PDB file of all heavy atoms in Angstrom:
ATOM      1  N   THR A  74     -28.696  11.723  -3.613  1.00 98.00           N
ATOM      2  CA  THR A  74     -28.208  11.492  -4.974  1.00 98.00           C
ATOM      3  C   THR A  74     -28.424  10.038  -5.378  1.00 98.00           C
ATOM      4  O   THR A  74     -28.855   9.757  -6.501  1.00 98.00           O
ATOM      5  CB  THR A  74     -26.723  11.887  -5.098  1.00 98.00           C
ATOM      6  OG1 THR A  74     -26.587  13.285  -4.772  1.00 98.00           O
ATOM      7  CG2 THR A  74     -26.185  11.643  -6.500  1.00 98.00           C
ATOM      8  N   LEU A  75     -28.145   9.115  -4.460  1.00 98.00           N
ATOM      9  CA  LEU A  75     -28.357   7.694  -4.745  1.00 98.00           C
ATOM     10  C   LEU A  75     -29.829   7.402  -5.035  1.00 98.00           C
ATOM     11  O   LEU A  75     -30.151   6.615  -5.923  1.00 98.00           O
ATOM     12  CB  LEU A  75     -27.882   6.836  -3.573  1.00 98.00           C
ATOM     13  CG  LEU A  75     -26.376   6.779  -3.363  1.00 98.00           C
ATOM     14  CD1 LEU A  75     -26.045   6.108  -2.035  1.00 98.00           C
ATOM     15  CD2 LEU A  75     -25.704   6.055  -4.518  1.00 98.00           C
ATOM     16  N   ILE A  76     -30.708   8.043  -4.286  1.00 98.00           N
ATOM     17  CA  ILE A  76     -32.146   7.848  -4.487  1.00 98.00           C
ATOM     18  C   ILE A  76     -32.586   8.476  -5.812  1.00 98.00           C
ATOM     19  O   ILE A  76     -33.279   7.845  -6.611  1.00 98.00           O
ATOM     20  CB  ILE A  76     -32.942   8.419  -3.303  1.00 98.00           C
ATOM     21  CG1 ILE A  76     -32.643   7.610  -2.032  1.00 98.00           C
ATOM     22  CG2 ILE A  76     -34.433   8.438  -3.598  1.00 98.00           C
ATOM     23  CD1 ILE A  76     -33.133   8.255  -0.742  1.00 98.00           C
ATOM     24  N   GLU A  77     -32.152   9.720  -6.066  1.00 97.00           N
ATOM     25  CA  GLU A  77     -32.519  10.419  -7.302  1.00 97.00           C
ATOM     26  C   GLU A  77     -32.049   9.677  -8.547  1.00 97.00           C
ATOM     27  O   GLU A  77     -32.735   9.674  -9.576  1.00 97.00           O
ATOM     28  CB  GLU A  77     -31.913  11.827  -7.315  1.00 97.00           C
ATOM     29  CG  GLU A  77     -32.545  12.786  -6.340  1.00 97.00           C
ATOM     30  CD  GLU A  77     -31.745  14.071  -6.174  1.00 97.00           C
ATOM     31  OE1 GLU A  77     -30.758  14.281  -6.917  1.00 97.00           O
ATOM     32  OE2 GLU A  77     -32.094  14.856  -5.282  1.00 97.00           O
ATOM     33  N   GLU A  78     -30.882   9.055  -8.454  1.00 97.00           N
ATOM     34  CA  GLU A  78     -30.319   8.348  -9.606  1.00 97.00           C
ATOM     35  C   GLU A  78     -30.818   6.912  -9.711  1.00 97.00           C
ATOM     36  O   GLU A  78     -30.418   6.173 -10.607  1.00 97.00           O
ATOM     37  CB  GLU A  78     -28.783   8.380  -9.545  1.00 97.00           C
ATOM     38  CG  GLU A  78     -28.194   9.756  -9.719  1.00 97.00           C
ATOM     39  CD  GLU A  78     -28.555  10.377 -11.061  1.00 97.00           C
ATOM     40  OE1 GLU A  78     -28.437   9.677 -12.093  1.00 97.00           O
ATOM     41  OE2 GLU A  78     -28.950  11.549 -11.093  1.00 97.00           O
ATOM     42  N   GLY A  79     -31.677   6.512  -8.779  1.00 97.00           N
ATOM     43  CA  GLY A  79     -32.300   5.194  -8.854  1.00 97.00           C
ATOM     44  C   GLY A  79     -31.408   4.031  -8.464  1.00 97.00           C
ATOM     45  O   GLY A  79     -31.697   2.888  -8.815  1.00 97.00           O
ATOM     46  N   ILE A  80     -30.331   4.303  -7.740  1.00 97.00           N
ATOM     47  CA  ILE A  80     -29.446   3.225  -7.309  1.00 97.00           C
ATOM     48  C   ILE A  80     -30.099   2.430  -6.182  1.00 97.00           C
ATOM     49  O   ILE A  80     -30.086   1.212  -6.176  1.00 97.00           O
ATOM     50  CB  ILE A  80     -28.064   3.770  -6.881  1.00 97.00           C
ATOM     51  CG1 ILE A  80     -27.381   4.481  -8.052  1.00 97.00           C
ATOM     52  CG2 ILE A  80     -27.169   2.644  -6.340  1.00 97.00           C
ATOM     53  CD1 ILE A  80     -27.155   3.611  -9.280  1.00 97.00           C
ATOM     54  N   PHE A  81     -30.656   3.136  -5.216  1.00 96.00           N
ATOM     55  CA  PHE A  81     -31.389   2.505  -4.121  1.00 96.00           C
ATOM     56  C   PHE A  81     -32.720   3.229  -3.974  1.00 96.00           C
ATOM     57  O   PHE A  81     -32.773   4.451  -4.058  1.00 96.00           O
ATOM     58  CB  PHE A  81     -30.614   2.596  -2.804  1.00 96.00           C
ATOM     59  CG  PHE A  81     -29.259   1.938  -2.849  1.00 96.00           C
ATOM     60  CD1 PHE A  81     -28.104   2.697  -2.804  1.00 96.00           C
ATOM     61  CD2 PHE A  81     -29.147   0.560  -2.938  1.00 96.00           C
ATOM     62  CE1 PHE A  81     -26.858   2.102  -2.844  1.00 96.00           C
ATOM     63  CE2 PHE A  81     -27.905  -0.050  -2.986  1.00 96.00           C
ATOM     64  CZ  PHE A  81     -26.754   0.719  -2.945  1.00 96.00           C
ATOM     65  N   LYS A  82     -33.778   2.477  -3.727  1.00 94.00           N
ATOM     66  CA  LYS A  82     -35.108   3.070  -3.568  1.00 94.00           C
ATOM     67  C   LYS A  82     -35.151   3.984  -2.346  1.00 94.00           C
ATOM     68  O   LYS A  82     -35.679   5.086  -2.391  1.00 94.00           O
ATOM     69  CB  LYS A  82     -36.162   1.969  -3.455  1.00 94.00           C
ATOM     70  CG  LYS A  82     -37.567   2.483  -3.363  1.00 94.00           C
ATOM     71  CD  LYS A  82     -38.550   1.348  -3.303  1.00 94.00           C
ATOM     72  CE  LYS A  82     -39.960   1.908  -3.173  1.00 94.00           C
ATOM     73  NZ  LYS A  82     -40.954   0.847  -3.109  1.00 94.00           N
ATOM     74  N   ASP A  83     -34.596   3.503  -1.253  1.00 95.00           N
ATOM     75  CA  ASP A  83     -34.517   4.288  -0.019  1.00 95.00           C
ATOM     76  C   ASP A  83     -33.153   4.022   0.599  1.00 95.00           C
ATOM     77  O   ASP A  83     -33.007   3.110   1.412  1.00 95.00           O
ATOM     78  CB  ASP A  83     -35.639   3.898   0.947  1.00 95.00           C
ATOM     79  CG  ASP A  83     -35.674   4.799   2.175  1.00 95.00           C
ATOM     80  OD1 ASP A  83     -35.232   5.966   2.075  1.00 95.00           O
ATOM     81  OD2 ASP A  83     -36.132   4.325   3.231  1.00 95.00           O
ATOM     82  N   ALA A  84     -32.143   4.762   0.170  1.00 96.00           N
ATOM     83  CA  ALA A  84     -30.763   4.537   0.591  1.00 96.00           C
ATOM     84  C   ALA A  84     -30.610   4.716   2.101  1.00 96.00           C
ATOM     85  O   ALA A  84     -31.064   5.702   2.665  1.00 96.00           O
ATOM     86  CB  ALA A  84     -29.829   5.494  -0.142  1.00 96.00           C
ATOM     87  N   THR A  85     -29.970   3.743   2.733  1.00 97.00           N
ATOM     88  CA  THR A  85     -29.678   3.810   4.158  1.00 97.00           C
ATOM     89  C   THR A  85     -28.302   4.446   4.350  1.00 97.00           C
ATOM     90  O   THR A  85     -27.571   4.684   3.375  1.00 97.00           O
ATOM     91  CB  THR A  85     -29.660   2.401   4.778  1.00 97.00           C
ATOM     92  OG1 THR A  85     -28.563   1.673   4.189  1.00 97.00           O
ATOM     93  CG2 THR A  85     -30.970   1.670   4.548  1.00 97.00           C
ATOM     94  N   LEU A  86     -27.937   4.666   5.590  1.00 96.00           N
ATOM     95  CA  LEU A  86     -26.597   5.180   5.889  1.00 96.00           C
ATOM     96  C   LEU A  86     -25.540   4.172   5.439  1.00 96.00           C
ATOM     97  O   LEU A  86     -24.491   4.555   4.919  1.00 96.00           O
ATOM     98  CB  LEU A  86     -26.461   5.501   7.377  1.00 96.00           C
ATOM     99  CG  LEU A  86     -25.181   6.203   7.798  1.00 96.00           C
ATOM    100  CD1 LEU A  86     -25.026   7.542   7.086  1.00 96.00           C
ATOM    101  CD2 LEU A  86     -25.149   6.402   9.304  1.00 96.00           C
ATOM    102  N   ASP A  87     -25.816   2.882   5.602  1.00 97.00           N
ATOM    103  CA  ASP A  87     -24.876   1.851   5.139  1.00 97.00           C
ATOM    104  C   ASP A  87     -24.734   1.862   3.618  1.00 97.00           C
ATOM    105  O   ASP A  87     -23.631   1.677   3.096  1.00 97.00           O
ATOM    106  CB  ASP A  87     -25.301   0.463   5.605  1.00 97.00           C
ATOM    107  CG  ASP A  87     -24.997   0.217   7.064  1.00 97.00           C
ATOM    108  OD1 ASP A  87     -24.127   0.916   7.632  1.00 97.00           O
ATOM    109  OD2 ASP A  87     -25.633  -0.683   7.653  1.00 97.00           O
ATOM    110  N   ASP A  88     -25.844   2.071   2.904  1.00 97.00           N
ATOM    111  CA  ASP A  88     -25.789   2.188   1.444  1.00 97.00           C
ATOM    112  C   ASP A  88     -24.935   3.386   1.038  1.00 97.00           C
ATOM    113  O   ASP A  88     -24.129   3.306   0.107  1.00 97.00           O
ATOM    114  CB  ASP A  88     -27.192   2.359   0.845  1.00 97.00           C
ATOM    115  CG  ASP A  88     -28.091   1.151   1.051  1.00 97.00           C
ATOM    116  OD1 ASP A  88     -27.576   0.018   1.185  1.00 97.00           O
ATOM    117  OD2 ASP A  88     -29.323   1.353   1.086  1.00 97.00           O
ATOM    118  N   THR A  89     -25.118   4.479   1.747  1.00 98.00           N
ATOM    119  CA  THR A  89     -24.378   5.707   1.453  1.00 98.00           C
ATOM    120  C   THR A  89     -22.897   5.513   1.748  1.00 98.00           C
ATOM    121  O   THR A  89     -22.039   5.955   0.978  1.00 98.00           O
ATOM    122  CB  THR A  89     -24.954   6.887   2.257  1.00 98.00           C
ATOM    123  OG1 THR A  89     -26.366   6.945   2.026  1.00 98.00           O
ATOM    124  CG2 THR A  89     -24.323   8.201   1.837  1.00 98.00           C
ATOM    125  N   LYS A  90     -22.585   4.836   2.846  1.00 97.00           N
ATOM    126  CA  LYS A  90     -21.181   4.554   3.184  1.00 97.00           C
ATOM    127  C   LYS A  90     -20.547   3.688   2.102  1.00 97.00           C
ATOM    128  O   LYS A  90     -19.428   3.954   1.663  1.00 97.00           O
ATOM    129  CB  LYS A  90     -21.084   3.863   4.541  1.00 97.00           C
ATOM    130  CG  LYS A  90     -19.666   3.559   4.949  1.00 97.00           C
ATOM    131  CD  LYS A  90     -19.604   2.915   6.324  1.00 97.00           C
ATOM    132  CE  LYS A  90     -18.163   2.657   6.727  1.00 97.00           C
ATOM    133  NZ  LYS A  90     -18.077   2.054   8.065  1.00 97.00           N
ATOM    134  N   TYR A  91     -21.270   2.647   1.682  1.00 96.00           N
ATOM    135  CA  TYR A  91     -20.766   1.793   0.599  1.00 96.00           C
ATOM    136  C   TYR A  91     -20.423   2.647  -0.623  1.00 96.00           C
ATOM    137  O   TYR A  91     -19.329   2.545  -1.179  1.00 96.00           O
ATOM    138  CB  TYR A  91     -21.807   0.722   0.240  1.00 96.00           C
ATOM    139  CG  TYR A  91     -21.640   0.195  -1.159  1.00 96.00           C
ATOM    140  CD1 TYR A  91     -20.624  -0.701  -1.463  1.00 96.00           C
ATOM    141  CD2 TYR A  91     -22.471   0.633  -2.189  1.00 96.00           C
ATOM    142  CE1 TYR A  91     -20.444  -1.158  -2.766  1.00 96.00           C
ATOM    143  CE2 TYR A  91     -22.301   0.185  -3.486  1.00 96.00           C
ATOM    144  CZ  TYR A  91     -21.283  -0.712  -3.768  1.00 96.00           C
ATOM    145  OH  TYR A  91     -21.104  -1.142  -5.057  1.00 96.00           O
ATOM    146  N   PHE A  92     -21.356   3.497  -1.029  1.00 97.00           N
ATOM    147  CA  PHE A  92     -21.148   4.360  -2.193  1.00 97.00           C
ATOM    148  C   PHE A  92     -19.943   5.283  -1.995  1.00 97.00           C
ATOM    149  O   PHE A  92     -19.082   5.391  -2.871  1.00 97.00           O
ATOM    150  CB  PHE A  92     -22.410   5.178  -2.456  1.00 97.00           C
ATOM    151  CG  PHE A  92     -22.267   6.191  -3.549  1.00 97.00           C
ATOM    152  CD1 PHE A  92     -22.039   5.807  -4.852  1.00 97.00           C
ATOM    153  CD2 PHE A  92     -22.380   7.542  -3.265  1.00 97.00           C
ATOM    154  CE1 PHE A  92     -21.914   6.745  -5.868  1.00 97.00           C
ATOM    155  CE2 PHE A  92     -22.255   8.490  -4.269  1.00 97.00           C
ATOM    156  CZ  PHE A  92     -22.017   8.092  -5.573  1.00 97.00           C
ATOM    157  N   PHE A  93     -19.874   5.922  -0.841  1.00 96.00           N
ATOM    158  CA  PHE A  93     -18.779   6.846  -0.540  1.00 96.00           C
ATOM    159  C   PHE A  93     -17.422   6.163  -0.705  1.00 96.00           C
ATOM    160  O   PHE A  93     -16.502   6.727  -1.282  1.00 96.00           O
ATOM    161  CB  PHE A  93     -18.940   7.387   0.884  1.00 96.00           C
ATOM    162  CG  PHE A  93     -17.806   8.250   1.333  1.00 96.00           C
ATOM    163  CD1 PHE A  93     -17.694   9.549   0.885  1.00 96.00           C
ATOM    164  CD2 PHE A  93     -16.847   7.766   2.212  1.00 96.00           C
ATOM    165  CE1 PHE A  93     -16.646  10.367   1.305  1.00 96.00           C
ATOM    166  CE2 PHE A  93     -15.801   8.562   2.635  1.00 96.00           C
ATOM    167  CZ  PHE A  93     -15.702   9.863   2.177  1.00 96.00           C
ATOM    168  N   PHE A  94     -17.312   4.937  -0.215  1.00 94.00           N
ATOM    169  CA  PHE A  94     -16.031   4.237  -0.284  1.00 94.00           C
ATOM    170  C   PHE A  94     -15.735   3.655  -1.661  1.00 94.00           C
ATOM    171  O   PHE A  94     -14.647   3.124  -1.881  1.00 94.00           O
ATOM    172  CB  PHE A  94     -15.930   3.179   0.822  1.00 94.00           C
ATOM    173  CG  PHE A  94     -15.531   3.770   2.145  1.00 94.00           C
ATOM    174  CD1 PHE A  94     -16.493   4.210   3.039  1.00 94.00           C
ATOM    175  CD2 PHE A  94     -14.198   3.934   2.482  1.00 94.00           C
ATOM    176  CE1 PHE A  94     -16.127   4.786   4.247  1.00 94.00           C
ATOM    177  CE2 PHE A  94     -13.820   4.496   3.686  1.00 94.00           C
ATOM    178  CZ  PHE A  94     -14.789   4.931   4.570  1.00 94.00           C
ATOM    179  N   THR A  95     -16.655   3.774  -2.609  1.00 94.00           N
ATOM    180  CA  THR A  95     -16.370   3.370  -3.997  1.00 94.00           C
ATOM    181  C   THR A  95     -15.890   4.544  -4.834  1.00 94.00           C
ATOM    182  O   THR A  95     -15.431   4.343  -5.962  1.00 94.00           O
ATOM    183  CB  THR A  95     -17.619   2.786  -4.707  1.00 94.00           C
ATOM    184  OG1 THR A  95     -18.577   3.822  -4.941  1.00 94.00           O
ATOM    185  CG2 THR A  95     -18.221   1.629  -3.948  1.00 94.00           C
ATOM    186  N   LEU A  96     -16.016   5.745  -4.317  1.00 94.00           N
ATOM    187  CA  LEU A  96     -15.702   6.935  -5.117  1.00 94.00           C
ATOM    188  C   LEU A  96     -14.221   7.025  -5.443  1.00 94.00           C
ATOM    189  O   LEU A  96     -13.368   6.788  -4.579  1.00 94.00           O
ATOM    190  CB  LEU A  96     -16.134   8.203  -4.369  1.00 94.00           C
ATOM    191  CG  LEU A  96     -17.625   8.355  -4.127  1.00 94.00           C
ATOM    192  CD1 LEU A  96     -17.895   9.568  -3.258  1.00 94.00           C
ATOM    193  CD2 LEU A  96     -18.379   8.447  -5.447  1.00 94.00           C
ATOM    194  N   PRO A  97     -13.909   7.389  -6.676  1.00 91.00           N
ATOM    195  CA  PRO A  97     -12.511   7.619  -7.038  1.00 91.00           C
ATOM    196  C   PRO A  97     -11.922   8.742  -6.182  1.00 91.00           C
ATOM    197  O   PRO A  97     -12.628   9.674  -5.782  1.00 91.00           O
ATOM    198  CB  PRO A  97     -12.577   8.046  -8.502  1.00 91.00           C
ATOM    199  CG  PRO A  97     -13.905   7.572  -8.989  1.00 91.00           C
ATOM    200  CD  PRO A  97     -14.812   7.593  -7.801  1.00 91.00           C
ATOM    201  N   SER A  98     -10.651   8.651  -5.918  1.00 88.00           N
ATOM    202  CA  SER A  98      -9.992   9.627  -5.053  1.00 88.00           C
ATOM    203  C   SER A  98     -10.100  11.052  -5.568  1.00 88.00           C
ATOM    204  O   SER A  98     -10.174  11.985  -4.780  1.00 88.00           O
ATOM    205  CB  SER A  98      -8.524   9.243  -4.851  1.00 88.00           C
ATOM    206  OG  SER A  98      -8.460   8.035  -4.145  1.00 88.00           O
TER     207      SER A  98
END
Side-chain angles (χ1 to χ4, degrees):
T74 300
L75 290 170
I76 294 167
E77 289 168 7
E78 293 300 314
I80 299 301
F81 300 111
K82 183 178 179 180
D83 186 27
T85 65
L86 187 60
D87 284 339
D88 295 333
T89 308
K90 181 178 182 179
Y91 157 76
F92 175 65
F93 175 76
F94 279 90
T95 70
L96 296 174
S98 295

